[in-house]
Amino acid sequence: MATLIRVLLILVLSDSIVSIRGLGIGINYGQIANNLPSPSHVAYLLQSLNISKVKLYDANPNVLTAFGNSNVEFVVGLGNEDLQKMTDPIQAQTWIQQHVLPYIFQTKITCITIGNEVLTGNDTQLMSYLLPAMQTVYGALGSLGLKKDVYVTTAHSTGILGNSFPPSSGVFRQDLAEYIQSILNFHSQTDSPFLINAYPFFAYKDNPNQVSLEYVLFQPNPGTTDPITNLKYDNMLYAQIDAVYSAIKAMGHTDIQVRVSETGWPSKGDPSEVGATLENARLYNGNLLSRIQQNQGTPAKPSVPIDVYVFALFNEDLKPGPSSERNYGLYYPDGTPVYNIGLQGFLPCMDYSASNRNGLGFFHLLLFPVAFLICTL
C-alpha cells in the first residue's frame, strides 16, 4: 500500500472566504445512512463552516447533546407516523418533556415540525390529524412555558399548489383548501412560518424541453414576466416562493412568512433523471448561496430576505428511491465536499481510512483556532 503523505496547509482567513453566519440559510441534516460521522464530528464541521441553523427530521438526542452550547439553532421534527398520538395532550407533553426539555437549555431548539408533506400524500386520515397535532403540541409547549421560544409548523411540498404561474395567480389546490385554511389560521394566531419544500430540479427533470436549465440554476437568462404585476423572475425558486405567498393571500392572510424548509439539487441520478449532474448541483447551490449572501428578497417581497434550508448536508446511502435520493449532499460522509461552492475554507478534514468508508467511524477530526486544511495525497 502506498504511503499516505499528509500536507498541512495554513489558510489565512480573509474577506474572500465564504461565511454564511447570520444569513437566511441553514442545512438539512438527514441521517438515513450507515456511514455518517458521529454527531460530535458533525458539530465541529458545521461550526467550522459557520452554519448556525440545522434542521433534523427527528429529535435525535445524540445530535442535540453534541451541539450543546454551540449557538446552532435547531429545527426538530415529529414524523408522519407520530401525528395521531400527538393529538393526545398527554402524549404531546410527554414527548416534549423527553425530547425537548432535557436539551433546550444547552441546545437552541427553536422549532418543531409536525410531519412532512402530509397534504400531498394519499392518507386522508393522516391529513385530518395534522392540524390537531400542531395545536396540541403548541398547547403542550405553552403548558411548559416554552411557546414563546419554540414555534410549531409543518413542511409542505409545492404540490399543494393548484396553480403556480404566473406567481401572482398562485392558488392552493381546491381539494386541500379546507385543511390549508385552518393551518393558515393557526400560523396567523401563533406567528409561525409556512414551510415549503421547493425543488426546481423536479420541474426541469420532468420537462427538460420546456423548462430552461439556466432559469432553474440561477444563471443568466431572459427570465419571465408576470403579466399581472409586471414583475420579472430570473429563477424558478423565487417564482415558487411568490406563488405560495399569492396562494396564502388568496386565503385571506398577509401576515405569514414563507420559508423554504428544503431545496437542493442532486449531483448524480439514474439515466432517466435528466439534469442530475455534479455540475448542475454545484451551480444550483452555489448560485443560491450567492443570492442569499446578497440578502435578496423575491420580486414580490423584495424587503423580506429569503430563509432557506439546503438539502442536504451529506449523501445518504440508505435512502430509498431513485439514485438522486442518495446524492443530494453537499459533502461525502468523510467530510470532503462533493463539489466546490466556496465553503471549503472552513472545512476541517477528517482522518478517514478504508475502514471508515465501511462505516466503522472516524478516528479524529482536527480543528484549529485559525483554519487549517489537512489534505491526504
Side-chain angles (χ1 to χ4, degrees):
M1 179 183 295
T3 302
L4 295 177
I5 304 173
R6 291 189 176 86
V7 179
L8 177 64
L9 298 174
I10 301 178
L11 299 177
V12 178
L13 296 176
S14 69
D15 292 340
S16 64
I17 296 178
V18 174
S19 173
I20 55 179
R21 180 173 297 280
L23 298 177
I25 193 164
I27 195 82
N28 281 275
Y29 177 12
Q31 300 165 73
I32 306 177
N34 61 6
N35 58 356
L36 298 183
S38 69
S40 60
H41 286 133
V42 175
Y44 282 120
L45 173 61
L46 293 187
Q47 288 181 83
S48 73
L49 290 166
N50 279 338
I51 291 177
S52 58
K53 293 163 60 177
V54 175
K55 179 169 164 282
L56 300 178
Y57 292 87
D58 54 19
N60 187 319
N62 295 325
V63 173
L64 296 176
T65 299
F67 278 83
N69 301 311
S70 67
N71 243 9
V72 175
E73 293 184 6
F74 269 87
V75 176
V76 298
L78 279 155
N80 294 354
E81 68 278 4
D82 297 317
L83 293 192
Q84 182 178 9
K85 65 183 180 182
M86 285 302 106
T87 62
D88 178 353
I90 295 176
Q91 294 199 60
Q93 183 162 318
T94 298
W95 186 87
I96 293 168
Q97 288 172 329
Q98 293 177 348
H99 296 90
V100 176
L101 272 179
Y103 313 103
I104 196 168
F105 298 107
Q106 285 77 40
T107 304
K108 296 173 66 175
I109 299 171
T110 61
C111 171
I112 300 172
T113 55
I114 312 297
N116 187 56
E117 300 187 353
V118 173
L119 297 185
T120 43
N122 298 316
D123 191 335
T124 54
Q125 188 171 47
L126 196 62
M127 294 179 195
S128 71
Y129 294 142
L130 179 56
L131 178 62
M134 293 170 68
Q135 293 170 324
T136 304
V137 170
Y138 180 74
L141 286 169
S143 68
L144 294 169
L146 296 175
K147 72 176 182 180
K148 292 183 179 179
D149 303 306
V150 184
Y151 61 83
V152 174
T153 185
T154 186
H156 305 280
S157 161
T158 53
I160 61 174
L161 291 169
N163 183 64
S164 60
F165 191 85
S168 62
S169 297
V171 291
F172 294 118
R173 282 169 36 187
Q174 190 57 42
D175 61 315
L176 300 177
E178 180 182 356
Y179 299 108
I180 294 175
Q181 182 70 74
S182 299
I183 289 172
L184 291 174
N185 293 341
F186 171 84
H187 288 311
S188 180
Q189 292 161 6
T190 63
D191 194 26
S192 53
F194 190 89
L195 305 186
I196 58 166
N197 298 337
Y199 288 92
F201 164 70
F202 293 126
Y204 178 75
K205 176 181 71 73
D206 294 340
N207 296 285
N209 296 323
Q210 298 177 6
V211 176
S212 162
L213 184 60
E214 291 76 17
Y215 182 64
V216 295
L217 292 179
F218 302 92
Q219 291 186 289
N221 68 92
T224 61
T225 300
D226 188 316
I228 299 172
T229 62
N230 209 33
L231 293 173
K232 185 174 180 180
Y233 290 83
D234 66 357
N235 71 84
M236 181 175 285
L237 180 65
Y238 287 16
Q240 290 176 324
I241 294 170
D242 278 352
V244 174
Y245 271 120
S246 295
I248 292 173
K249 185 176 181 180
M251 286 277 192
H253 289 283
T254 58
D255 57 341
I256 298 170
Q257 185 182 4
V258 175
R259 297 182 184 174
V260 180
S261 42
E262 289 182 20
T263 193
W265 196 285
S267 59
K268 187 187 298 184
D270 294 328
S272 61
E273 295 185 286
V274 180
T277 68
L278 188 147
E279 177 63 7
N280 287 344
R282 184 188 70 81
L283 287 169
Y284 183 82
N285 285 314
N287 288 336
L288 173 61
L289 177 59
S290 178
R291 293 295 186 98
I292 291 174
Q293 281 184 297
Q294 298 170 36
N295 214 29
Q296 280 190 347
T298 64
K301 297 280 186 178
S303 63
V304 181
I306 296 168
D307 195 309
V308 169
Y309 283 81
V310 173
F311 186 88
L313 180 56
F314 296 112
N315 284 341
E316 298 173 72
D317 66 339
L318 298 182
K319 289 198 73 174
S323 296
S324 62
E325 289 294 320
R326 294 174 288 283
N327 289 280
Y328 273 93
L330 297 181
Y331 297 95
Y332 293 111
D334 65 358
T336 58
V338 177
Y339 42 81
N340 176 15
I341 58 172
L343 296 180
Q344 293 93 317
F346 287 93
L347 179 65
C349 293
M350 288 167 259
D351 190 351
Y352 193 73
S353 68
S355 62
N356 296 127
R357 295 179 188 275
N358 291 325
L360 297 182
F362 288 93
F363 293 131
H364 61 274
L365 181 150
L366 299 176
L367 188 64
F368 297 89
V370 177
F372 289 86
L373 179 63
I374 308 297
C375 297
T376 302
L377 299 181

